[in-house]
Amino acid sequence: MANADSGRANSRRMADDGADGVSRDGNLRVAHTARAAHTPRAVRNVRVEAMRLAAIVGISLFHTMMPWTAQALCDPAAGCSQIGDMLGSDPTVLAVLGIIALMGAWGNHVFFMISGFYLIPSLARRSKQAGYWRDALRGTVRRVLVIAVSVVLVAVVALAFDAWVMPLVNVHLVWQWTLGIEFVWLYAAFVAVLDGLIRRPVLRMLRLGR
């Protein structure tokens, strides 16, 4: 009985071992290690991350100081608050607020630059894969639908709030949901034309430049 059990155990070990005597689990571990060794890892560029951090700080300061900047730049003819008069009469304060405003604008440009630096080469590599343009078109349609559905949901909530809680200004006007939020629809339009009018020519120029 003991010999039979020992024979079955040996048979199982032989089945798990390959022709070279290496176990199946060992082969799997070796293969996984080899794939991990050849898989490129994303390496963070310290300089780019430092620029990203500086841009975040600049934009955050700009938005934090926006109320103070608006008061400092008030029109005296229309009447300014006491704080606005004090801020607007101090050249040092105006200079600091101006620098903060420039930091906010610079931060936006840095984010655009970083996005182009990473996204455009990535798109160029992925555009060679089969089915890329079909997937890109689906992504474009999905993003536009998300924007449109979001606006519809906000409009429904606003109308319900206006009907049952308290009146809201201009909530029933078509203008409020069209030109009143033109930046939303402009963003949707940019997303919609990205695939056909921008993405393809850019990727084509990148290929020709290689």
Side-chain angles (χ1 to χ4, degrees), residues 85-109:
D85 289 332
M86 181 181 64
L87 295 175
S89 61
D90 191 335
T92 303
V93 172
L94 290 176
V96 171
L97 292 176
I99 293 173
I100 292 175
L102 287 175
M103 289 175 62
W106 174 82
N108 284 325
H109 291 125

Side-chain angles (χ1 to χ4, degrees), residues 30-91:
V30 170
H32 178 73
T33 304
R35 285 196 299 270
H38 291 288
T39 301
R41 294 184 177 181
V43 178
R44 290 186 176 273
N45 190 317
V46 178
R47 295 179 180 178
V48 174
E49 295 302 323
M51 292 183 64
R52 193 197 305 271
L53 178 60
I56 292 173
V57 172
I59 293 174
S60 300
L61 283 175
F62 168 71
H63 284 284
T64 301
M65 300 303 296
M66 278 183 66
W68 301 94
T69 304
Q71 293 188 59
L73 298 178
C74 66
D75 185 4
C80 299
S81 65
Q82 185 177 359
I83 296 178
D85 289 332
M86 181 181 64
L87 295 175
S89 61
D90 191 335

Side-chain angles (χ1 to χ4, degrees), residues 177-190:
W177 306 106
T178 53
L179 294 179
I181 52 173
E182 75 280 1
F183 61 93
V184 174
W185 300 117
L186 283 174
Y187 174 74
F190 291 146

Side-chain angles (χ1 to χ4, degrees), residues 6-186:
S6 177
R8 284 194 293 271
N10 289 333
S11 298
R12 285 194 295 271
R13 282 197 297 271
M14 292 177 64
D16 289 337
D17 292 345
D20 54 358
V22 180
S23 67
R24 185 182 306 166
D25 293 339
N27 284 330
L28 291 175
R29 284 194 295 270
V30 170
H32 178 73
T33 304
R35 285 196 299 270
H38 291 288
T39 301
R41 294 184 177 181
V43 178
R44 290 186 176 273
N45 190 317
V46 178
R47 295 179 180 178
V48 174
E49 295 302 323
M51 292 183 64
R52 193 197 305 271
L53 178 60
I56 292 173
V57 172
I59 293 174
S60 300
L61 283 175
F62 168 71
H63 284 284
T64 301
M65 300 303 296
M66 278 183 66
W68 301 94
T69 304
Q71 293 188 59
L73 298 178
C74 66
D75 185 4
C80 299
S81 65
Q82 185 177 359
I83 296 178
D85 289 332
M86 181 181 64
L87 295 175
S89 61
D90 191 335
T92 303
V93 172
L94 290 176
V96 171
L97 292 176
I99 293 173
I100 292 175
L102 287 175
M103 289 175 62
W106 174 82
N108 284 325
H109 291 125
V110 168
F111 275 121
F112 283 124
M113 180 185 67
I114 293 175
S115 297
F117 181 76
Y118 285 107
L119 292 179
I120 292 178
S122 175
L123 289 174
R125 290 191 299 268
R126 289 168 50 203
S127 65
K128 300 177 182 179
Q129 300 175 359
Y132 168 77
W133 293 110
R134 182 183 64 252
D135 295 338
L137 179 59
R138 289 176 180 174
T140 300
V141 173
R142 183 175 62 252
R143 286 188 289 271
V144 172
L145 286 177
V146 167
I147 295 171
V149 171
S150 299
V151 172
V152 171
L153 289 177
V154 171
V156 169
V157 172
L159 290 171
F161 192 89
D162 176 80
W164 292 310
V165 181
M166 62 176 294
L168 297 177
V169 179
N170 297 332
V171 72
H172 294 281
L173 298 179
V174 176
W175 172 87
Q176 179 66 29
W177 306 106
T178 53
L179 294 179
I181 52 173
E182 75 280 1
F183 61 93
V184 174
W185 300 117
L186 283 174

